Amino acid sequence: MTIRPRRSVLYMPGSNERALEKARSLAADGLILDLEDAVAPEAKALARRQVADAVKAGGFGGREVIVRVNGLDTEWAGDDIAAVAKCGADAILFPKIQSAADVLQAILMLEKAGAPSTLPIWVMAETPRCILNMDSIAGASPRLACIVAGTSDLGRELRIRPTPARDGAVGALTMIVLAARAHGLDALDGVHLDLADEAGYEAVCRQGRDLGFDGKTLIHPKQIDAANRAFAPTPAELEAARAILAAWKEARAEGKGMVVVGGRLVEKLHVDEAERLLALDAAITARDRAAAA
């Protein structure tokens, strides 16, 4: 089972050369080098050059490197895609995706720019139309690997009042996870903007995990540790997973049709989840080693 940990994925402004350099030493699983929201119009060209150069230079260890380009309907999209299509990024993130047709257009633009056929794309889910089209978007192309919730833009368009429990956003967040799981994709929760609200941030990390997200997008390095903890298997979960696999293997060897662990019936679905948790833990360990190298 091949899994890439995406517990913490940090946005880094492409126009800030110092931030791009610092990104190489952070404990985030992934880095989104941003050409869109974090970059002022007058700095777009500078950010484009700096991000392409930074990715080509490498040195990010085991951290996944994603470039977020500007929206397909903006004046910057074509130049962004031309600059980063062959720079060596692990994925390209497209914002403001509204339909499956948008996904196909993004891929066509990448292909025309000479991007490798194996280069994955990610998409932002941040508009009402996108949420309503979530299933067709998620199934639009095998090159799509991850859906990122854009909760700030989505909340504004839905006129959601911000609450600690994100009551107004839960329906949309669930639709993102449903579509991702239906098509074998990863899903990342949106950002938490209040950097002073540590307790609230940890609570929404747990909420995102419990909703089924694979990780959280972040706006500041101080948010990395809490996301890494929330979206990693706990020691108790790993212990239970090992016990399930051991009992299942023993039962199969003895020809038994029923397996009980800790007083609970174990079925194949529990075995599959146990294997996923252990694979995720192994992937996290491998990423940490690569990042430290």
Side-chain angles (χ1 to χ4, degrees), residues 21-249:
E21 180 60 34
K22 183 179 180 181
R24 293 180 169 88
S25 63
L26 298 175
D29 286 337
L31 305 163
I32 296 175
L33 309 186
D34 194 18
L35 303 179
E36 195 212 13
D37 285 348
V39 179
E42 62 273 14
K44 296 288 187 184
L46 171 65
R48 190 182 299 127
R49 291 194 301 271
Q50 290 186 164
V51 165
D53 289 345
V55 178
K56 289 174 184 176
F60 292 95
R63 301 164 188 86
E64 192 170 15
V65 179
I66 305 95
V67 178
R68 180 166 72 169
V69 297
N70 284 279
L72 298 175
D73 61 349
T74 68
E75 62 185 283
W76 306 290
D79 289 337
D80 287 351
I81 292 169
V84 303
K86 297 183 288 186
C87 71
D90 293 304
I92 306 298
L93 172 59
F94 289 89
K96 303 299 187 294
I97 293 297
Q98 304 257 44
S99 65
D102 286 348
V103 175
L104 298 179
Q105 181 187 351
I107 291 172
L108 180 61
M109 292 176 73
L110 279 175
E111 290 174 344
K112 288 182 176 180
S117 60
T118 54
L119 177 65
I121 69 166
W122 293 14
V123 299
M124 299 288 301
E126 53 188 340
T127 70
R129 186 173 297 278
C130 176
I131 299 301
L132 291 175
N133 290 329
M134 205 69 259
D135 180 54
S136 61
I137 288 171
S141 170
R143 288 179 68 159
L144 181 57
C146 186
I147 302 172
V148 181
T151 46
S152 297
D153 282 319
L154 184 61
R156 175 181 55 81
E157 292 206 24
L158 293 178
R159 302 174 191 169
I160 294 172
R161 294 194 177 192
T163 64
R166 301 193 294 179
D167 306 84
V170 169
L173 295 174
T174 298
M175 290 180 71
I176 292 170
V177 174
L178 280 169
R181 296 296 172 258
H183 295 278
L185 312 178
D186 274 1
L188 300 180
D189 196 1
V191 299
H192 185 76
L193 298 177
D194 189 347
L195 294 176
D197 179 23
E198 294 184 9
Y201 170 63
E202 292 182 1
V204 296
C205 281
R206 293 191 296 270
Q207 181 195 39
R209 174 200 63 200
D210 294 346
L211 286 171
F213 283 98
D214 297 286
K216 192 161 184 67
T217 47
L218 319 174
I219 60 169
H220 194 279
K222 69 182 290 186
Q223 297 178 319
I224 293 172
D225 288 346
N228 283 347
R229 289 194 303 271
F231 290 94
T234 66
E237 287 173 331
L238 293 172
E239 182 180 357
R242 294 186 186 99
I244 286 171
L245 292 182
W248 183 264
K249 183 178 180 179

